[in-house]
Amino acid sequence: MTAHASLSRRAAAELIGTAGLLVVVIGSGLQAAELSRDTGVALIANSLASAIGLGLIITLFGPLSGAHLNPVVTLTSWWARRTGGEGLGGREAFVYTVAQTAGAIGGAMLAEAMFGRTPGAFSTQVRDGGHLLIGEVVATAGLVLVIQGLGRIGRPRLVPAAVAAYIAAAIWFTSSGSFANPAGTVGRSFSDSFTGIAPESLPGFVAAQLAGGILGLALAALLYGRGTGSGAGAGASRTAEPVVPAVPVETAVPASLSETAPGDGASPEKTAYEPVG
């Protein structure tokens, strides 16, 4: 069974999927903070819920849009197409990014309202320091490498489980907590909670995430070659085959697709997909 989705339907999938991801990340963080005063316990609960939710969202929306949920993943797909591989055209990438950002903000506000808090209050949790930015570069580079690597070795069906597992781990092994998603980072600035980030910390985090995306692409090219297989597109949006895989609070993530899609939004054919984060 395959799904043929127009650009508008794919954008809707990205918006709803990213909103769902932020509801999971922020909502589980709020719940964990209410139930435990131990930060470690709260982080365990938040990371597990975020990973499970991310894997389910990728599996559900991957056949429609590639389930990027993350502008960095979308930009790697656009770059793959520009360099002769499969991926998104410029117009598609722009629409995806706008949809992801709007979805992240909407999801953050929904999570706040769901827990009886006032939606739209900016976070006061400042996250600054060069060590945190290094953590974001590492987290995002690893995410891109996981997606690109699995695509280039012909195992894109493992992306949902692998991305969810990677984000759960990166939340713990990076100093920043692995936001690894510009849209998700913007959305989380609208939640003054355990998982929030103050608006003044956004520029540094987003810049670090973009740098991490470039580093991840460079590492994938170094290790696996340029490759134009199903994983090289980092989320090209086309018609997709459903997958049956097993499968961030920090963000999310990404998925790799195949077949060439028209830049005007006509739904192309993708054999697999990628997340975000």
Side-chain angles (χ1 to χ4, degrees):
M1 176 179 174
T2 57
H4 299 272
S6 65
L7 179 57
S8 60
R9 288 181 61 193
R10 287 183 278 141
E14 287 296 304
L15 186 150
I16 295 169
T18 310
L21 177 60
L22 268 290
V23 168
V24 171
V25 171
I26 294 175
S28 62
L30 290 170
Q31 186 78 287
E34 286 184 6
L35 296 177
S36 175
R37 295 184 179 180
D38 187 314
T39 303
V41 171
L43 188 59
I44 289 174
N46 187 213
S47 59
L48 286 176
S50 297
I52 293 169
L54 176 60
L56 291 173
I57 291 169
I58 294 170
T59 301
L60 179 62
F61 292 102
L64 279 174
S65 67
H68 295 193
L69 315 176
N70 186 334
V72 168
V73 176
T74 295
L75 289 173
T76 60
S77 176
W78 169 79
W79 180 252
R81 181 162 177 172
R82 279 186 59 87
T83 54
E86 292 133 356
L88 295 177
R91 177 170 173 256
E92 292 173 300
F94 175 77
V95 171
Y96 267 45
T97 300
V98 171
Q100 291 156 359
T101 304
I105 295 172
M109 291 186 173
L110 176 58
E112 291 282 301
M114 191 166 59
F115 281 85
R117 296 157 62 93
T118 303
F122 286 115
S123 175
T124 57
Q125 187 164 342
V126 177
R127 299 176 188 260
D128 55 16
H131 64 294
L132 296 182
L133 301 184
I134 292 172
E136 276 302 282
V137 172
V138 170
T140 312
L143 174 64
V144 171
L145 182 58
V146 167
I147 296 168
Q148 291 285 317
L150 288 173
R152 296 183 191 204
I153 64 175
R155 307 190 73 179
R157 289 174 181 267
L158 295 179
V159 165
V163 167
Y166 173 79
I167 289 298
I171 286 170
W172 284 89
F173 75 72
T174 63
S175 58
S176 64
S178 184
F179 282 50
N181 182 334
T185 303
V186 170
R188 287 165 62 173
S189 71
F190 286 84
S191 174
D192 191 14
S193 67
F194 177 60
T195 58
I197 178 172
E200 57 264 40
S201 300
L202 290 179
F205 264 58
V206 171
Q209 290 156 2
L210 294 175
I214 294 171
L215 176 59
L217 279 175
L219 289 173
L222 173 67
L223 295 171
Y224 303 104
R226 288 188 173 274
T228 56
S230 61
S237 157
R238 334 281 164 179
T239 326
E241 269 180 26
V243 298
V244 196
V247 149
V249 283
E250 320 296 308
T251 61
V253 235
S256 53
L257 318 156
S258 64
E259 302 296 318
T260 310
D264 62 3
S267 158
E269 255 188 52
K270 55 185 189 265
T271 56
Y273 52 79
E274 347 182 50
V276 146

